[in-house]
Amino acid sequence: MQRRSAARLGPLPLPLPLLLLLPLAWAEGPSPPRADGELQASNRLAGQAARVALHYLNYRLGSPSALRALGRVRKATLKTIPGIGHKYYLQFTTEDYKSSQNVGTCLATVFYLKRKPRPAVNINCTYTKDQKQTREDDYSFYKKMRQQTKPIIGNDIPDSYGNIEPALEPAWALAVAGSSYLMWEKSTENLGYFMAQVKNVKQWITKDDSIDFDYSVVLHEIPTQEMISCHLRVIWTPGHPLKVKYFCLSENQWSESGEGSGTESGSTNGIFNEKEANI
């Protein structure tokens, strides 16, 4: 079977041995700054806050064909609110998760609250990718999954060489979208997460309009270098919010996403074509 190199799928799906070595630079950097003001664009915590915003965006969009990764932070400002938390104001470019091509710019605020377990995010982005094609790609994947008479089953995505079988790419992308919820929820000002690998995936054949997957995923925690195993249940219908339920071995409790009620700690003001946004 033809296999696609993970090098074409963006920066995250790399062989696990390399994952243990690459993020050493991410582990470096200052402790959370205490003074208000503009941060250097290369500041580790600014980059981490931008990735948190993208975790939230990828989860809220709920599209395995529209996943974004961080390109470059252009501007970052920190505001300290005494007794409440730290708020980051960010401008950054984004890349298509698979092709690494630039797909637009985002303005975001990420608010790390002392008394709440997950960051509050507000994000507004331009989008240069063909959104009609994105919707068609989503529907093509959805239609194919609905027509399955035997459930899809897979292991070690990507494999130890960093490769992903083309037939498993959409299921892997849906895992990234679902994992974005738990990575957003688990992130703190000091800790960030990447999805390193899908250890196994199993599709559940459903009678309703949704498609349903069980995943075991490995998260790479930065800067601790810990590898965290989580079980993930993702239920998806194109054009509707993802339903995500997860359990991580280090926490011993289930956590569940909202039903698209808007009760999450954040908002997406809109995803626009480049010409429709003034950034």
Side-chain angles (χ1 to χ4, degrees), residues 76-276:
T77 303
L78 171 68
K79 182 178 181 180
T80 300
I81 302 177
I84 299 178
H86 289 154
K87 193 170 189 177
Y88 290 78
Y89 298 82
L90 306 157
Q91 183 187 56
F92 53 88
T93 61
T94 62
E95 299 177 349
D96 181 82
Y97 208 91
K98 294 183 179 181
S99 69
S100 297
Q101 294 180 341
N102 187 291
V103 290
T105 302
C106 295
L107 293 175
T109 60
V110 178
F111 198 180
Y112 296 102
L113 299 162
K114 290 184 177 181
R115 296 185 180 181
K116 288 190 177 181
R118 60 190 179 190
V121 177
N122 187 292
I123 185 168
N124 188 359
C125 300
T126 63
Y127 198 37
T128 58
K129 192 175 179 180
D130 186 344
Q131 295 184 63
K132 181 180 178 181
Q133 184 62 52
T134 296
R135 290 191 294 268
E136 290 176 354
D137 290 344
D138 276 349
Y139 185 73
S140 177
F141 167 51
Y142 169 77
K143 185 178 179 180
K144 183 177 180 181
M145 294 303 99
R146 292 292 300 157
Q147 293 174 343
Q148 290 287 129
T149 57
K150 293 184 179 180
I152 287 180
I153 297 175
N155 298 286
D156 297 332
I157 313 169
D159 63 19
S160 58
Y161 296 99
N163 298 319
I164 298 176
E165 294 181 6
L168 293 174
E169 281 183 21
W172 169 81
L174 188 61
V176 174
S179 294
S180 294
Y181 171 77
L182 69 98
M183 290 188 289
W184 162 56
E185 187 168 79
K186 289 173 66 64
S187 291
T188 68
E189 194 169 10
N190 292 304
L191 294 177
Y193 297 88
F194 292 87
M195 193 189 81
Q197 188 180 45
V198 174
K199 292 299 296 180
N200 55 69
V201 55
K202 178 180 179 181
Q203 179 189 8
W204 294 95
I205 303 299
T206 62
K207 295 182 179 180
D208 59 19
D209 292 335
S210 64
I211 59 174
D212 191 341
F213 283 89
D214 263 341
Y215 296 96
S216 292
V217 301
V218 178
L219 300 184
H220 191 188
E221 185 177 82
I222 306 299
T224 66
Q225 307 299 316
E226 289 189 26
M227 308 301 282
I228 301 174
S229 297
C230 298
H231 179 82
L232 191 68
R233 185 78 175 264
V234 179
I235 300 173
W236 178 65
T237 305
H240 294 271
L242 284 173
K243 296 179 181 179
V244 181
K245 189 175 183 180
Y246 73 88
F247 174 92
C248 293
L249 296 181
S250 61
E251 297 172 349
N252 294 320
Q253 62 180 2
W254 283 96
S255 182
E256 190 169 359
S257 71
E259 301 295 321
S261 61
T263 58
E264 294 94 346
S265 301
S267 67
T268 53
N269 288 342
I271 306 300
F272 304 100
N273 292 321
E274 188 73 48
K275 295 180 181 179
E276 295 175 329

